[in-house]
Structure formats: structure tokens, C-alpha cells
Amino acid sequence: MKRIIVAIDGLSSCGKSTLAKSLAKSLHYAYLDSGAMYRAVTLYFLENNIDYENPEAVADALQHIEIHFERIDGQNRTFLNGRDVEHDIREMSVNDHVSPVSALSAVRRAMVAQQQAMGKRRQIVSDGRDIGTVVFPDAELKIYLLADADVRTSRRHLELASKGIDGEWEDIQRNLLERDRIDSSRADSPLRKADDAVVIDNTLLSEEQQLEKALELARIKLQE
Ligand code: DC
């Protein structure tokens, strides 16, 4: 059986992780949540008062960060230096700092190297901002997801509420649009659609409908 990599990129809260998780499950592939890694680095910087505008402090801190994923009760969980931080990395304080942190080249180099190692055996679905362009430019299937900004805000609002994290709709939208701006305009690996990515706009699609579309594309790639 052919083994492929599926790369999903798009703006914040456009449904990438929902699609990536369900696609990974359907294909019996691993799921690599690259955003969780940038979030874990950000959490480490915040908890340890690392001035991330100081390159030496960042380089030193990166030496002390170990991130890995574990599947517990069917759920993907992110570990930072042996501690389960899956909940903490979704807090608003991390949301507020993760874009400037993930714009740092030293941080990106360290994360991309780990992500590429995790994708060595292929059979992986990964989502993020630079997966199809930088991390896995040779991915067999690249999807660029789009969704309307109000729909994305409502989805993030619901997601946070379901995790017991409070947030005003307006604050969530402000944070989302600001992250869109930084993630798309940074010098190192800005979010952009890979030339060979397929665009799916899921504004009016249910989760099942977007999964069906992606599965159809994956099946074609598996048979090629
Ligand atoms: O997908 P997310 O919202 O969990 O990602 C959090 C932040 O991490 C996002 O604002 C930008 C950054 N990110 C990145 O720069 N590159 C990736 N491949 C994934 C995420």
C-alpha cells in the first residue's frame, strides 16, 4: 500500500485540526499538530519568563525544551518536558504570544526539524501554516483550507468554551485577525498556499462534508 503525507494549511481556526484528525483516523495515519508545538514553546517562554526578543535567551531556552505527543484514550496530547500541556497551550495568554514566538527563525528551525523527523515514514496527516510549503514540500496531498472570519471566530469560541476556557467573542476575533496578519506577513515561512495545494472553502460545509472531500482526494493520491 502506498504511504502518503497529507499537508493541511490555512488561517487560524479554519477547521484544519478537525479535518486533520478525522482524516488521520479514517486513513489510520498519525496526526501531527504542528501548531501545538509552537504553542508549547510559547508556554515554556511565558512560564520561564524568557524574553523572546533576546536571541541568546531563545537559543538557550530551546536547548531545554522537549516536546512529544502521546495518544491517551484516543486523544492526541502534547507533552512539554514530560508534562501534559494539552489544556494549557490553548489558553488565551498563549494565543496572545504564539504568533510572534512562531515568527522567530530559531524556533522554526528547531520545530521543523522535529516535524520532518516525525514524517520520515510518511503515513502522517499534519496541519499548520507552512506544512505544504516548508515542512513537507513533497507531500502527496496538500490542502489549503479557507473559511469566513466570523465563522472561524464562532468555531474558536465554541472550541474554547468546550474546554472550559472563557473568552469574549470580540476578543477572540481580534486575536484571530491579528494572528492571521502576523502569520501571513512574517519573513520566515509565512502562511501561503502551495502552488500544488487544493483549495477547500469549508464556510458552508459540515465536518462530514469536508472530510468526504478530503478523503476523495486522498484516495486518488493513494491509487496514483
Ligand atoms: O494552528 P494553531 O492555531 O494551533 O497555531 C498556533 C500558532 O502557531 C499560529 O498562530 C501560528 C503558529 N504556527 C506556525 O507558525 N506554523 C505552523 N506550522 C503551525 C502553527
Side-chain angles (χ1 to χ4, degrees):
M1 184 71 166
K2 193 172 165 189
R3 302 141 78 100
I4 66 170
I5 290 183
V6 182
I8 304 175
D9 289 301
L11 291 167
S12 296
S13 294
C14 68
K16 297 185 298 293
S17 69
T18 303
L19 176 59
K21 278 180 208 161
S22 54
L23 196 54
K25 197 168 170 202
S26 303
L27 296 172
H28 303 288
Y29 276 18
Y31 165 52
L32 167 55
D33 179 353
S34 69
M37 299 175 73
Y38 293 98
R39 289 173 175 277
V41 171
T42 305
L43 181 68
Y44 182 91
F45 286 0
L46 291 176
E47 288 185 341
N48 293 280
N49 296 313
I50 307 294
D51 172 9
Y52 57 78
E53 288 176 9
N54 174 347
E56 280 172 19
V58 168
D60 182 60
L62 285 170
Q63 303 291 320
H64 298 98
I65 295 178
E66 187 276 329
I67 299 167
H68 72 268
F69 297 103
E70 286 182 26
R71 276 192 77 74
I72 299 175
D73 296 334
Q75 298 234 332
N76 206 57
R77 306 203 63 94
T78 309
F79 283 75
L80 168 64
N81 293 335
R83 172 180 137 223
D84 183 342
V85 292
E86 188 57 35
H87 180 268
D88 296 359
I89 59 172
R90 314 286 164 190
E91 293 279 358
M92 285 302 271
S93 55
V94 172
N95 281 344
D96 286 340
H97 293 272
V98 67
S99 280
V101 167
S102 59
L104 300 170
S105 292
V107 171
R108 303 205 70 78
R109 268 199 305 276
M111 295 305 111
V112 169
Q114 285 191 38
Q115 291 155 10
Q116 289 174 336
M118 292 182 207
K120 264 229 154 65
R121 300 207 318 267
R122 310 191 91 74
Q123 295 191 297
I124 198 166
V125 180
S126 183
D127 70 325
R129 306 294 186 290
D130 61 343
I131 306 301
T133 51
V134 175
V135 182
F136 300 123
D138 62 345
E140 286 78 2
L141 174 58
K142 299 180 187 178
I143 295 174
Y144 191 80
L145 266 191
L146 294 177
D148 170 86
D150 284 349
V151 169
R152 291 191 288 123
T153 307
S154 298
R155 287 180 187 157
R156 180 66 107 192
H157 192 229
L158 270 176
E159 183 195 340
L160 289 174
S162 75
K163 291 180 172 151
I165 299 172
D166 277 340
E168 292 291 330
W169 197 93
E170 287 73 19
D171 292 341
I172 293 170
Q173 180 155 81
R174 203 174 311 115
N175 171 269
L176 213 93
L177 297 179
E178 179 60 3
R179 285 204 289 135
D180 288 355
R181 190 186 66 73
I182 301 176
D183 298 344
S184 308
S185 63
R186 67 184 177 216
D188 191 337
S189 339
L191 167 69
R192 65 172 186 81
K193 183 184 102 51
D195 293 337
D196 50 349
V198 180
V199 175
I200 298 180
D201 182 335
N202 67 20
T203 304
L204 300 173
L205 297 182
S206 67
E207 289 178 12
E208 293 73 23
Q209 287 170 322
Q210 80 164 352
L211 173 62
E212 205 34 62
K213 269 185 190 292
L215 264 177
E216 229 174 86
L217 296 168
R219 285 191 196 111
I220 293 170
K221 294 293 174 187
L222 282 165
Q223 282 161 14
E224 268 176 5

